[in-house]
Amino acid sequence: MESDHVKLKVHLVTGTDSGEFRLLSEALARSSVVGLDAEWKPVRRSFPTVSVLQIACGDWGVFVLDLLSLPLSSLSEQLRELLLCPDILKLGFGFKQDLVYLSSTFCSHGGFDKVEPYLDIRSVYNHLQHNKKHVPKQSKSLSSICAEVLGFSLSKKRTAGSLFVDVVLSVVVLELQCSDWSHRPLTEGQIRYAAMDAHCLLDIFKIFQAKVVKGDFILDTTVLSNPDASLGLKELFRNHDMCDKVLRAHSCEALANVQATTCSDVTRIIPLAGGMIQKSPYWVTIPMDEILLKIVKKYGDMILLKESDRKPKSSKKKGKKHSLINGISKENHFEKFDEWQGTPPWDPLEGGNGYPKFLCDVMVEGLAKHLRCVGIDAAIPYSKKPEPRMLIEQAQKEKRVILTRDAKLLRHDYLTKYQIYKVRSLLKNEQLLEVIETFQLKINEDKLMSRCTKCNGTFIQKPLTTEEAIEAAKGFQRIPNCLFDKNLEFWQCNDCHQLYWEGTQYHNAVQKFIDICKLSD
């Protein structure tokens, strides 16, 4: 599977007069299925501006559109044509949110309110689970679905072609996911990350399509549900009642009937409530094949934004009523957690050993890995969905400060003392710097990558030789053959026994955290 990624064509589109943009138009004209994804920098209390739009076009590769460089006025109509084109099935992973942000980004050019035909990969995954007994519908990440359906980790797929170790892999992928997509130029890692997120949608759909062809999923033998669809256009329009039936049918069905009975490459007939109109597209598309039409008919969907979707969610607070906690306004009560005060539980005066220790809840779990990378003890909850009391009990037992972005957790502060801090920053790098500054943590270069990012454990005192590492990894972890003749030292976690070595990715990660923490200054 790794070799497929190396061959993946990625086209960065930064101008409408570029060869990449012309190639995109050609690719869309020849594609019946595309994968869509978008990237943006999170903001508070408003819709973010979409910085990157990815369009995966099968063998043509993935087109990464830099929306901060492209003129939106020249792109809006072509993008709207793509989103509504009946000849192209659009794949996405929870793409409604992407569409909301895209529409906001293009608001001065009319925005977008509809994608059709559309198929969500989460729905595809649930259909693939259909034949498995006692498997409920699940809400999984795209990376988890890739691992289960395609048999490879999306994280590893993104970093194929280079040596990596698990300690760096999770950090690199997390950093790319939460990186500043508004900063230019985009890094090679960002472009690769964005491209793979869109391309894997096509890979998952191919598995589903193959099962349809194989007969694992039963489809109707006719493309259209309308019993009159087998008639030619001439007969349909001769009979007024029959024509009305088609006009009232689902737009994909009506268009499929038109495409099946006409060979015009110049115009497309589009059904409207008042009749038929002709429209010249930006590119001349090819009709879907029979199998794809059947899939669209049975499983296809659409995204339709409502007026309420176009407005950022407002606070549920009404008027000037404020809840009180022990007679204090809830807002004022929570404000004190934005600024750390008091003595941390690891302080020797409180019976601690003097070493900072944190407990990151699920909302800042990625921050835990960043803290471990700079040598700070950062644990995560025992269970995936712990009750607040369980979280607090763990923090008290291990003398840790809880890091969270969950305001609801702050309601339980009466159970603890100086052990909850609400992280204000959204991005992982900024969160790391916020915690370092707030708690006055001392970060040294010799402590970087000194903890296991997988379990937070410490490493063995004496490194292993290659022979010892191979023996320790048997049945547990695979060591690439190319490392055997490099005379490397291997380090093993005392707790989970994960093996690490100082490869290229390790040194890149060390340099990354030197830059983030400004240790070179």
Side-chain angles (χ1 to χ4, degrees):
M1 301 297 291
E2 304 289 14
S3 60
D4 294 340
H5 170 64
V6 176
K7 297 177 182 178
L8 176 62
K9 301 173 185 175
V10 181
H11 311 279
L12 180 61
V13 185
T14 57
T16 53
D17 57 348
S18 65
E20 289 83 3
F21 189 80
R22 290 190 291 271
L23 187 63
L24 171 62
S25 298
E26 185 178 353
L28 290 174
R30 306 285 182 86
S31 300
S32 297
V33 183
V34 299
L36 299 176
D37 192 29
E39 309 294 345
W40 55 82
K41 179 182 179 179
V43 295
R44 293 185 179 184
R45 300 184 181 89
S46 63
F47 290 147
T49 298
V50 176
S51 305
V52 176
L53 176 66
Q54 306 96 277
I55 305 176
C57 299
D59 294 337
W60 293 84
V62 182
F63 294 85
V64 179
L65 278 65
D66 184 355
L67 298 188
L68 300 187
S69 301
L70 288 163
L72 301 188
S73 58
S74 302
L75 187 63
S76 58
E77 285 303 319
Q78 283 124 315
L79 186 53
R80 184 175 293 105
E81 174 78 11
L82 167 63
L83 298 178
L84 298 177
C85 180
D87 294 331
I88 302 177
L89 173 62
K90 277 71 69 174
L91 304 176
F93 186 85
F95 192 72
K96 181 177 179 180
Q97 183 184 43
D98 301 56
L99 183 64
V100 170
Y101 295 166
L102 268 176
S103 183
S104 174
T105 302
F106 283 81
C107 62
S108 59
H109 306 287
F112 313 108
D113 59 4
K114 188 176 181 181
V115 179
E116 188 180 21
Y118 170 76
L119 187 56
D120 199 296
I121 287 301
R122 294 175 298 186
S123 175
V124 170
Y125 171 77
N126 287 327
H127 286 305
L128 289 172
Q129 303 303 299
H130 178 72
N131 293 332
K132 298 181 180 180
K133 295 183 179 180
H134 310 298
V135 178
K137 289 187 177 182
Q138 304 175 56
S139 178
K140 290 197 171 188
S141 67
L142 180 58
S143 182
S144 298
I145 292 177
C146 278
E148 187 170 337
V149 176
L150 302 178
F152 63 78
S153 167
L154 185 56
S155 299
K156 292 182 180 179
K157 193 77 169 175
R158 288 174 180 139
T159 56
S162 60
L163 298 177
F164 59 87
V165 288
D166 289 343
V167 61
V168 180
L169 181 60
S170 57
V171 173
V172 170
V173 172
L174 189 61
E175 171 61 21
L176 289 172
Q177 181 183 15
C178 301
S179 60
D180 185 355
W181 291 94
S182 65
H183 181 72
R184 291 297 179 274
L186 293 169
T187 66
E188 182 181 347
Q190 284 179 310
I191 296 172
R192 185 188 303 117
Y193 172 95
M196 279 310 305
D197 268 8
H199 180 72
C200 69
L201 302 176
L202 298 179
D203 287 341
I204 296 171
F205 179 74
K206 285 179 183 177
I207 299 293
F208 177 66
Q209 191 173 23
K211 288 182 176 293
V212 170
V213 174
K214 184 180 176 182
D216 292 354
F217 297 92
I218 300 176
L219 295 175
D220 295 339
T221 55
T222 58
V223 172
L224 304 176
S225 58
N226 193 308
D228 301 315
S230 59
L231 297 175
L233 279 179
K234 184 176 181 180
E235 294 298 322
L236 285 171
F237 284 97
R238 183 176 297 166
N239 187 319
H240 179 74
D241 292 335
M242 290 182 181
C243 182
D244 286 344
K245 290 179 183 178
V246 174
L247 292 176
R248 288 193 299 266
H250 192 278
S251 62
C252 285
E253 295 183 352
L255 282 166
N257 189 42
V258 171
Q259 292 159 354
T261 54
T262 182
C263 298
S264 174
D265 287 336
V266 180
T267 59
R268 179 183 297 119
I269 300 176
I270 299 180
L272 293 178
M276 311 294 285
I277 66 169
Q278 292 182 332
K279 181 180 178 181
S280 298
Y282 281 91
W283 49 78
V284 180
T285 54
I286 58 175
M288 297 181 184
D289 60 37
E290 184 180 0
I291 292 296
L292 191 54
L293 277 172
K294 290 179 179 180
I295 291 176
V296 169
K297 179 212 167 197
K298 187 172 180 64
Y299 301 102
D301 201 351
M302 73 173 177
I303 302 175
L304 184 61
L305 299 184
K306 298 178 292 186
E307 190 61 33
S308 58
D309 294 324
R310 299 177 180 274
K311 301 176 182 177
K313 303 298 181 184
S314 58
S315 173
K316 294 183 179 179
K317 297 177 183 178
K318 295 182 179 180
K320 296 185 178 181
K321 295 182 180 179
H322 301 287
S323 300
L324 299 180
I325 298 179
N326 295 330
I328 303 174
S329 168
K330 184 187 294 185
E331 288 185 350
N332 294 334
H333 175 79
F334 289 162
E335 280 178 2
K336 70 178 184 179
F337 294 96
D338 288 339
E339 297 295 338
W340 178 253
Q341 50 185 307
T343 306
W346 57 74
D347 192 290
L349 296 176
E350 298 291 333
N353 59 8
Y355 293 99
K357 298 169 71 177
F358 297 96
L359 176 60
C360 299
D361 74 352
V362 292
M363 297 192 73
V364 291
E365 192 169 322
L367 173 59
K369 293 184 178 181
H370 269 50
L371 286 168
R372 294 168 187 173
C373 285
V374 296
I376 301 298
D377 187 342
I380 59 175
Y382 297 139
S383 60
K384 291 185 177 180
K385 295 182 180 180
E387 294 292 329
R389 288 177 179 270
M390 295 175 59
L391 202 62
I392 291 172
E393 286 175 3
Q394 181 180 348
Q396 290 176 331
K397 179 181 177 181
E398 301 176 5
K399 295 186 179 299
R400 298 180 182 276
V401 167
I402 298 173
L403 300 179
T404 183
R405 282 188 53 80
D406 185 4
K408 295 180 180 178
L409 184 61
L410 304 182
R411 299 172 184 171
H412 301 270
D413 74 290
Y414 64 90
L415 295 174
T416 185
K417 179 184 179 182
Y418 304 133
Q419 280 190 260
I420 303 179
Y421 175 73
K422 184 175 181 293
V423 180
R424 289 169 292 180
S425 304
L426 294 174
L427 302 179
K428 300 298 179 292
N429 289 354
E430 295 173 5
Q431 289 177 346
L432 175 63
L433 292 176
E434 178 185 338
V435 172
I436 291 174
E437 180 181 354
T438 299
F439 294 92
Q440 296 298 299
L441 304 180
K442 295 181 179 179
I443 307 300
N444 300 316
E445 186 174 340
D446 59 351
K447 292 294 183 181
L448 297 181
M449 318 309 287
S450 61
R451 301 191 74 89
C452 176
T453 59
K454 185 177 181 181
C455 75
N456 193 41
T458 56
F459 295 129
I460 57 176
Q461 295 297 316
K462 183 181 178 181
L464 302 177
T465 63
T466 302
E467 293 74 16
E468 292 172 332
I470 293 173
E471 184 64 28
K474 281 185 178 179
F476 171 70
Q477 184 179 355
R478 178 182 172 275
I479 300 178
N481 296 334
C482 57
L483 299 180
F484 293 165
D485 58 351
K486 292 184 178 294
N487 194 29
L488 295 174
E489 291 183 339
F490 292 80
W491 300 86
Q492 189 171 33
C493 174
N494 284 313
D495 297 335
C496 71
H497 307 300
Q498 184 80 8
L499 288 167
Y500 299 91
W501 58 91
E502 296 184 4
T504 304
Q505 294 282 354
Y506 166 85
H507 294 291
N508 290 342
V510 168
Q511 186 59 50
K512 181 175 82 74
F513 284 101
I514 287 176
D515 296 339
I516 292 174
C517 300
K518 296 180 173 59
L519 298 182
S520 58
D521 296 343

